[in-house]
Amino acid sequence: MATLLLELGAAFAAIALAGSLARALGQSVIPFYILAGLVVNPFVLGTLGLPAIEDREVITVLAELGIVFLLFFLGLEFSFEQLLASGDRMTRVGLLDIVVNFPVGVGLGLALGWTPIEAVVLGGIVYISSSAVITKSLIDLGWIANAESEPVLGTLVFEDLAIAVYLALLAALLGGTADLGAALVDVAVVAGFFLALVLAVAVGGGWFERMLAIRSNELFVLRAVALAVLIAGAALAIGASEAVAAFFVGMGFSSTDHVHRLETLLVPLRDVFAAVFFFWIGLRTDPRLVVGVAVPLALAVVLTAPAKFVSGYYGGRLYDLDDRRSVRVACSLVTRGEFSLIIAALAATQGTGPVLTETVPAFAVGYVLVMSVLGTTLMDSAGTVERLLEPVLPG
């Protein structure tokens, strides 16, 4: 226990130091948290013979809580009525996003000489954006209540629902077509879970209001955290996205009189756990493996970053946004994260052959690291990006 506490203390110290350095340099904290995890992991410090921080289960759980709280706060910003009103646009930006970006990964995989299933795995890894990283950046930049957040949110929700179906079908493909029926059952269970959650949010406004009607701040926080984590855990247990589940719980509270109190009391929890999530990405990255996949990684970054930018820009235009806000949408969606790592983990555990068990996991961690840094940097520099692209933007 003492060793575990010491490692947790060292992890928080590294995160705090990275955050202070980022603030001193006037940069986003996200890349610095990721790089802090990378520097102190066993693949870097350990190989130098220095004490390193292990990727232990407790850190993984804290990182999961970071995803839950980030998406919970995103849900607080949107009411159920807003979601219904933007349903048609959300579907269109989601379809545009998947039609543009998924084939890029599949095509790259085939061009590298991979099998069709291996290429489909690569398609999923490069298609899905990071809900957690993007939400944190939206909050840090103060864009969360702006018009550009709606197409970003629509794309993220569509992606998270699509990836739940994708993961079930991919597991069947990797395990053999004999399991296709079981995969379809899994998809139906996930769809039923989210339908029940949407109905609860639609008709349960009074229940959400009464649940938090208590003076004690301690019990108020405990009730909100308990509901968000329980629903997120249930989602994970059936193979659904904990991020989408937490988003709907936040949306359930968005129409109550407790929104301001939730934001005030839960912000410290959200920021601490979110920082651990970004640190955790770096902690599990072995830079030596990333070097071994440098060629496909470079090709993927060159091809998929512009593709995501283009689909994001036109997604903003589908919401009738001007160039400035559409460029913000485009910059926001470049980041990849947690789901790319989940897809790679599934390929490594259920797939066969060196591509799925060795190349894909190494590619995924390097890709997430590069795209996280690139995406957050683009969001920070959205104004400069718009000025550079102004001559070629349709206007």
Side-chain angles (χ1 to χ4, degrees), residues 104-121:
V104 173
V106 175
L108 176 59
L110 294 174
L112 291 169
W114 295 6
T115 67
I117 290 182
E118 292 164 350
V120 166
V121 171

Side-chain angles (χ1 to χ4, degrees), residues 224-289:
V225 170
L227 185 64
V229 177
L230 274 173
I231 298 297
L236 269 183
I238 64 168
S241 164
E242 80 281 26
V244 175
F247 169 79
F248 280 121
V249 175
M251 185 181 289
F253 286 120
S254 68
S255 60
T256 70
D257 295 330
H258 307 294
V259 173
H260 178 68
R261 193 178 176 195
L262 280 169
E263 290 175 339
T264 302
L265 294 176
L266 292 184
V267 160
L269 283 179
R270 179 201 68 192
D271 290 346
V272 168
F273 292 128
V276 175
F277 166 70
F278 300 117
F279 178 80
W280 170 77
I281 291 177
L283 197 63
R284 57 186 296 157
T285 301
D286 183 348
R288 296 168 301 179
L289 296 178

Side-chain angles (χ1 to χ4, degrees), residues 30 57 104 117 120 154 171 202 204 217 274 277 296 302 306 325 333 344 374-375 383:
I30 295 174
E57 186 175 6
V104 173
I117 290 182
V120 166
N217 284 341
F277 166 70
V302 169
R325 295 193 186 279
L333 292 171
L374 177 62

Side-chain angles (χ1 to χ4, degrees), residues 195-213:
L195 180 61
L197 207 50
V198 169
L199 288 175
V201 172
V203 302
W207 183 83
F208 281 103
E209 183 74 44
R210 290 191 297 275
M211 181 185 180
L212 296 185

Side-chain angles (χ1 to χ4, degrees), residues 123-353:
I125 290 173
V126 304
Y127 155 63
I128 185 83
S129 301
S130 172
S131 303
V133 179
I134 293 170
T135 302
K136 171 67 173 168
S137 293
L138 288 174
I139 293 168
D140 286 350
L141 293 169
W143 297 357
I144 194 71
N146 293 351
E148 57 266 31
S149 67
E150 285 200 43
V152 173
L153 167 70
T155 304
L156 294 179
V157 170
F158 187 97
E159 283 185 350
D160 284 2
L161 294 175
I163 212 67
V165 177
Y166 167 87
L167 285 172
L169 296 178
L170 181 64
L173 286 171
L174 293 173
T177 53
D179 294 326
L180 185 58
L184 293 176
V185 171
D186 290 343
V187 171
V189 170
V190 169
F193 175 82
F194 281 125
L195 180 61
L197 207 50
V198 169
L199 288 175
V201 172
V203 302
W207 183 83
F208 281 103
E209 183 74 44
R210 290 191 297 275
M211 181 185 180
L212 296 185
I214 186 167
R215 287 188 177 182
S216 166
N217 284 341
E218 178 182 344
L219 293 179
F220 178 87
V221 169
L222 284 172
R223 289 182 182 188
V225 170
L227 185 64
V229 177
L230 274 173
I231 298 297
L236 269 183
I238 64 168
S241 164
E242 80 281 26
V244 175
F247 169 79
F248 280 121
V249 175
M251 185 181 289
F253 286 120
S254 68
S255 60
T256 70
D257 295 330
H258 307 294
V259 173
H260 178 68
R261 193 178 176 195
L262 280 169
E263 290 175 339
T264 302
L265 294 176
L266 292 184
V267 160
L269 283 179
R270 179 201 68 192
D271 290 346
V272 168
F273 292 128
V276 175
F277 166 70
F278 300 117
F279 178 80
W280 170 77
I281 291 177
L283 197 63
R284 57 186 296 157
T285 301
D286 183 348
R288 296 168 301 179
L289 296 178
V290 176
V291 171
V293 294
V295 172
L297 180 58
L299 289 172
V301 172
V302 169
L303 292 173
T304 62
K308 202 69 168 181
F309 188 93
V310 170
S311 65
Y313 174 82
Y314 283 101
R317 302 299 291 188
L318 285 174
Y319 273 71
D320 299 324
L321 301 183
D322 59 21
D323 275 345
R324 182 172 68 90
R325 295 193 186 279
S326 294
V327 167
R328 286 186 174 188
V329 176
C331 293
S332 300
L333 292 171
V334 168
T335 302
R336 275 45 159 215
E338 60 278 9
F339 277 112
S340 298
L341 298 174
I342 291 171
I343 294 169
L346 178 66
T349 54
Q350 297 196 17
T352 57

